[in-house]
Amino acid sequence: MESKTIITFIKAAELGSFSRTANVLGYSQAAVTVQIKQLEDELGTRLFDRMGKGIQLTSSGERFLPYAQQVLKVNEQARKFMKLDDELHGTIRIGTTSSMANAYFPTLLREFSETYPQIKLVLKTSDYFDNVYEKLKQNEIDFALFIDRKMVYKDCNTVVDHPEEMIFIASPDNPLASRKDIPIQDIVSNGFITSDQEVSYPRFLDDYCKDNGIEYEPIMEVSSVIAISEIVASSNCVSFVPKSSIIRDLEQGRVVILDADKSFKCRMYSQIVYRREKWIEPHLEIFMEFVRSKIRKIDNTEEPADIQQ
């Protein structure tokens, strides 16, 4: 016997009318009558006496009612149990660029795993966002995480877009470290290391220099932000990176933020997206809500930053 039939029986017993039951449940009266007849045939007994426009439980119907209520209760408990079980199990596949893999995201993943230990996380990194996006389109990953200008993808939904502070960095011993309001020309002509040109923010800097007639010839192109920070810390080179990717080196004083020309503005966002047509299972929904909650806390606790926008 189906749950909907049990619900119809219980509601009919409560209201004493097939027509009112139909109105409440959104069925036609004929559909209610058919469901009750099917239930009576299945049980081999008459459940209602038809009395004009009203109905009344037979003695068999009265005996069956508490069982019907119990069946409905058990079915509801089973649904809740399965939903909870689904929420606490599953695999989440996340694709990201190497720069994001070194930012605050690892901490977020660790906290998620500690909160939901039965949900498995798989992190796949690439130096190129195009590779990540292709994996998303092929359903090889559930979410794509990247840094770019705020984007709206027609075939994707956005989970979060968090402003990223972009900074020029140098070692504390670099002569530029003590200067104020440094022209961009001076920064990019001083042993400049760029991230891979397939990444959004190096392209932005390249376009900015072209538009402003600034000579820009990087001496090195390195895909890993961590590797860039390591090179900068041990040389007189400089670079342009997301602040969140090198927080540890900044805190340890291995690299410093250069006081660049305030007219230079570059606003980037950490973004998490998923394919619009993707079926979002409970454990994926939990992940999205967890990320949104953590990003809101970051937004609320961070002091206003002098972001180069």
Side-chain angles (χ1 to χ4, degrees):
M1 64 187 66
E2 298 183 10
S3 294
K4 66 177 184 179
T5 305
I6 296 295
I7 292 172
T8 299
F9 166 74
I10 294 172
K11 186 57 67 175
E14 175 188 337
L15 298 177
S17 167
F18 286 163
S19 61
R20 279 188 286 171
T21 298
N23 289 335
V24 169
L25 298 181
Y27 297 140
S28 66
Q29 183 170 338
V32 170
T33 302
V34 168
Q35 287 184 39
I36 296 300
K37 182 64 168 61
Q38 289 174 342
L39 184 59
E40 288 178 331
D41 290 345
E42 188 173 350
L43 295 173
T45 186
R46 194 177 184 88
L47 299 174
F48 290 100
D49 283 327
R50 283 68 169 174
M51 305 175 63
K53 293 184 179 181
I55 56 173
Q56 188 173 6
L57 285 172
T58 63
S59 58
S60 295
E62 289 177 349
R63 290 197 304 273
F64 178 64
L65 181 59
Y67 290 102
Q69 293 168 333
Q70 184 64 27
V71 168
L72 193 62
K73 182 178 180 181
V74 170
N75 285 346
E76 182 62 25
Q77 289 174 338
R79 278 195 294 271
K80 288 182 178 179
F81 174 80
M82 291 307 298
K83 182 179 180 181
L84 179 63
D85 189 60
D86 286 342
E87 288 175 349
L88 296 178
H89 292 82
T91 298
I92 300 174
R93 303 162 303 167
I94 304 162
T96 186
T97 54
S98 55
S99 59
M100 286 303 300
N102 297 321
Y104 57 81
F105 198 58
T107 299
L108 189 150
L109 292 184
R110 175 181 55 77
E111 291 176 351
F112 181 83
S113 290
E114 290 172 353
T115 306
Y116 300 100
Q118 295 179 359
I119 298 178
K120 180 181 178 181
L121 293 176
V122 177
L123 183 63
K124 300 183 178 182
T125 63
S126 172
D127 292 333
Y128 308 113
F129 172 67
D130 287 347
N131 292 347
V132 175
Y133 186 62
E134 187 61 30
K135 289 181 183 294
L136 189 69
K137 290 197 297 184
Q138 298 300 322
N139 199 36
E140 296 177 23
I141 56 176
D142 302 307
F143 300 101
L145 171 65
F146 57 95
I147 294 179
D148 207 330
R149 304 177 196 186
K150 184 175 284 192
M151 306 289 285
V152 177
Y153 295 91
K154 293 181 179 179
D155 57 348
C156 292
N157 290 329
T158 300
V159 180
V160 294
D161 48 22
H162 177 65
E164 279 289 337
E165 184 175 359
M166 304 301 302
I167 58 174
F168 290 98
I169 60 171
S171 75
D173 298 327
N174 190 304
L176 292 175
S178 59
R179 291 177 57 182
K180 301 294 182 183
D181 204 23
I182 312 168
I184 302 302
Q185 174 70 71
D186 291 359
I187 294 176
V188 300
S189 61
N190 197 305
F192 195 83
I193 300 175
T194 182
S195 298
D196 195 292
Q197 288 298 306
E198 294 297 322
V199 181
S200 57
Y201 50 87
R203 291 200 307 269
F204 177 92
L205 181 60
D206 185 57
D207 291 342
Y208 176 89
C209 290
K210 289 177 181 177
D211 293 343
N212 289 274
I214 296 173
E215 187 176 343
Y216 176 56
E217 291 292 338
I219 64 167
M220 196 181 306
E221 183 175 308
V222 180
S223 59
S224 167
V225 176
I226 293 299
I228 289 176
S229 183
E230 191 66 32
I231 296 170
V232 167
S234 58
S235 70
N236 276 332
C237 294
V238 297
S239 191
F240 181 58
V241 297
K243 181 179 178 181
S244 63
S245 297
I246 59 161
I247 289 294
R248 183 172 299 176
D249 284 349
L250 287 170
E251 291 176 344
Q252 294 175 351
R254 301 186 69 243
V255 296
V256 296
I257 301 174
L258 296 179
D259 186 11
D261 180 357
K262 300 300 188 296
S263 66
F264 176 79
K265 300 182 184 298
C266 174
R267 181 174 284 278
M268 294 284 158
Y269 291 81
S270 296
Q271 300 168 72
I272 301 178
V273 302
Y274 63 94
R275 292 282 289 178
R276 195 177 296 275
E277 69 270 20
K278 184 172 183 60
W279 171 251
I280 299 299
E281 298 178 73
H283 66 288
L284 300 180
E285 183 65 41
I286 283 178
F287 175 75
M288 290 194 294
E289 288 304 315
F290 184 89
V291 170
R292 291 185 185 117
S293 174
K294 290 296 181 181
I295 294 299
R296 281 195 297 268
K297 288 181 180 178
I298 291 174
D299 290 339
N300 291 334
T301 57
E302 283 182 344
E303 294 181 1
D306 185 17
I307 298 178
Q308 298 168 353
Q309 351 184 17

